[in-house]
């Protein structure tokens, strides 16, 4: 039986082909059947059961076939159990490999967001410093708070939605210092459970995109409208911003491309709609936060 297991293992490992495996298995079963028949009829029956056993010359085809059937049945059952176990182990290894791959991809996506966010914010500070704006020091202070959050909180798989929205509002305040009266912003928030869990920084890329590729491209008065509603575990997040007529429509920003992939990995039950027109850019995101994926 163990020899048969070894044969099957070599076949599964693709060391042996189908023909070789078949003939080796047939040879093993034939040899075992003959050996089992001789042992049973010449030793077990006369000495264990103390019954008159046949002589070697009297061992017939029926006895060999019967013993062959018993061996095939026993070995087949054991082999089926072993194959099921091997299949389960293989499936478990594949699932673990896939999980590690997705976790590595998610970690890579998160590592992209932080430098991208920092780069854009430092550009804002540079612009204020060049103009010797009095708000530069306050902007740096707010940025330090945001970076502290990114350093200590984003390593967690999830955080309270209240903490996520606080980062959004802090970022809005930071940008308001830069744009001043040029910016007209409307922010609405209606959250029924402040402790509802959400992936860190999943909303920031949309807000950052509105400022970076909307307002920064517009010379005249600009606006941003943000609505965040959470009811019974279902999040509805809408953001609309003005934009320049000359802004490229075909370019998919790295932040949006990144967050789309994160949503695919983490929230199977989500719906993301992006609409762009001559003067506006709209994003509407709905997520079932009660059914997030576990990676």
């Amino acid at each position: 039986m163990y020899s048969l297991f070894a044969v099957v293992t070599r076949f599964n490992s693709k060391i042996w082909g189908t023909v070789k495996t078949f003939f080796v298995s047939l040879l093993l079963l034939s040899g075992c059947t003959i050996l089992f028949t001789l042992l049973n009829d010449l030793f077990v029956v006369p000495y264990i059961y103390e019954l008159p056993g046949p002589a070697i010359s009297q061992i017939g085809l029926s006895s060999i076939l019967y013993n062959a059937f018993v061996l095939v049945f026993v070995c087949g059952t054991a082999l089926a159990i072993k194959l099921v176990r091997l299949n389960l182990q293989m499936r478990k290894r594949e699932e673990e490999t896939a999980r590690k791959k997705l976790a590595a991809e998610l970690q890579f996506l998160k590592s992209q967001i932080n430098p991208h966010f920092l780069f854009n914010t430092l550009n804002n500070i540079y612009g204020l410093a060049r103009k010797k704006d009095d708000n530069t020091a306050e902007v740096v202070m707010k940025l330090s708070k945001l970076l502290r959050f990114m350093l200590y909180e984003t390593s967690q798989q999830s955080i309270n939605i209240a903490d996520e929205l606080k980062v959004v509002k802090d970022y809005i305040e930071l940008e308001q210092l830069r744009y001043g009266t040029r910016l007209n912003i409307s922010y609405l928030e209606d959250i029924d459970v402040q402790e509802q869990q959400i992936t860190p920084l999943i909303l920031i890329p949309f807000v950052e995109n509105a400022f970076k590729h909307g307002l920064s491209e517009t010379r005249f008065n600009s606006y941003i409208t943000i609505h965040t509603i959470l009811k019974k575990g279902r999040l509805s997040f809408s953001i609309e911003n003005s934009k320049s007529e000359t802004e490229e429509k075909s370019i998919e920003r790295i932040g949006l491309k990144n967050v789309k992939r994160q949503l695919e990995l983490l929230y199977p039950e989500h719906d993301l709609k992006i609409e762009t027109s001559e003067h506006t850019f709209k994003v509407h995101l709905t997520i079932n936060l009660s059914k997030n994926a576990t990676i």
Side-chain angles (χ1 to χ4, degrees):
M1 187 178 297
Y2 289 104
S3 300
L4 197 59
F5 287 167
V7 170
V8 173
T9 301
R10 287 178 175 271
F11 176 73
N12 286 334
S13 303
K14 298 182 179 180
I15 299 175
W16 285 0
T18 305
V19 176
K20 184 175 182 179
T21 302
F22 173 77
F23 281 109
V24 171
S25 300
L26 185 61
L27 183 63
L28 282 173
L29 285 173
S30 301
C32 289
T33 300
I34 295 173
L35 181 62
F36 179 74
T37 302
L38 291 174
L39 288 174
N40 183 68
D41 291 353
L42 298 182
F43 293 97
V44 175
V45 172
Y47 295 106
I48 302 299
Y49 295 108
E50 296 182 351
L51 297 174
I56 295 179
S57 58
Q58 296 176 328
I59 297 176
L61 181 62
S62 60
S63 179
I64 294 175
L65 290 177
Y66 173 77
N67 291 327
F69 173 77
V70 172
L71 279 176
V72 169
F73 178 77
V74 173
C75 292
T77 302
L79 190 59
I81 295 173
K82 182 175 180 63
L83 288 175
V84 170
R85 290 182 59 189
L86 287 174
N87 185 54
L88 292 175
Q89 291 174 359
M90 185 179 300
R91 187 175 299 178
K92 186 176 181 180
R93 285 196 299 268
E94 289 175 353
E95 290 176 354
E96 182 67 15
T97 302
R99 187 192 67 80
K100 289 181 179 180
K101 183 178 178 181
L102 289 178
E105 181 181 359
L106 185 61
Q107 187 60 39
F108 173 72
L109 292 172
K110 287 182 178 181
S111 68
Q112 274 188 317
I113 284 183
N114 291 354
H116 183 253
F117 169 83
L118 179 60
F119 176 76
N120 289 335
T121 308
L122 288 177
N123 274 345
N124 294 343
I125 295 175
Y126 174 72
L128 292 174
R130 284 194 61 185
K131 295 186 294 184
K132 297 182 179 180
D133 195 295
D134 295 335
N135 291 322
T136 303
E138 188 175 353
V139 169
V140 173
M141 181 60 65
K142 288 185 177 294
L143 175 61
S144 68
K145 293 180 180 179
L146 289 175
L147 292 180
R148 188 179 299 112
F149 174 86
M150 290 181 176
L151 181 63
Y152 295 109
E153 302 295 335
T154 56
S155 59
Q156 302 180 43
Q157 186 173 350
S158 62
I159 60 174
N160 293 340
I161 192 169
D163 296 331
E164 174 76 1
L165 294 179
K166 185 178 184 305
V167 175
V168 170
K169 288 181 282 190
D170 287 345
Y171 182 74
I172 291 172
E173 290 179 5
L174 188 151
E175 292 288 355
Q176 279 182 313
L177 292 174
R178 176 190 177 193
Y179 289 101
T181 57
R182 279 183 54 198
L183 173 61
N184 181 19
I185 186 163
S186 172
Y187 182 86
L188 173 64
E189 178 184 307
D190 184 10
I191 308 297
D192 62 349
V193 180
Q194 299 289 332
E195 294 77 20
Q196 175 67 57
Q197 296 297 293
I198 189 172
T199 300
L201 301 181
I202 201 72
L203 302 178
I204 275 289
F206 298 110
V207 181
E208 182 188 6
N209 181 77
F211 282 100
K212 176 63 180 176
H213 305 296
L215 303 185
S216 62
E217 304 287 343
T218 307
R219 293 185 178 181
F220 306 102
N221 290 335
S222 306
Y223 74 90
I224 292 182
T225 302
I226 302 175
H227 291 168
T228 308
I229 301 173
L230 176 66
K231 295 295 181 182
K232 297 181 180 180
R234 186 166 292 274
L235 174 68
S236 175
F237 179 79
S238 301
I239 182 167
E240 177 181 341
N241 62 271
S242 56
K243 73 180 187 67
S244 172
E245 300 177 19
T246 58
E247 185 183 0
E248 292 286 343
K249 295 183 180 181
S250 60
I251 297 177
E252 184 170 22
R253 311 297 180 181
I254 184 173
L256 292 183
K257 184 178 180 181
N258 186 306
V259 77
K260 282 181 181 179
R261 182 56 180 158
Q262 285 198 66
L263 288 169
E264 291 174 0
L265 293 175
L266 293 171
Y267 296 104
E269 294 189 18
H270 82 276
D271 181 51
L272 176 62
K273 295 179 181 177
I274 298 178
E275 302 175 11
T276 181
S277 63
E278 188 176 4
H279 297 287
T280 61
F281 186 86
K282 300 178 183 179
V283 174
H284 182 69
L285 172 66
T286 57
I287 308 176
N288 187 355
L289 294 178
S290 60
K291 292 187 178 181
N292 62 303
T294 303
I295 295 182

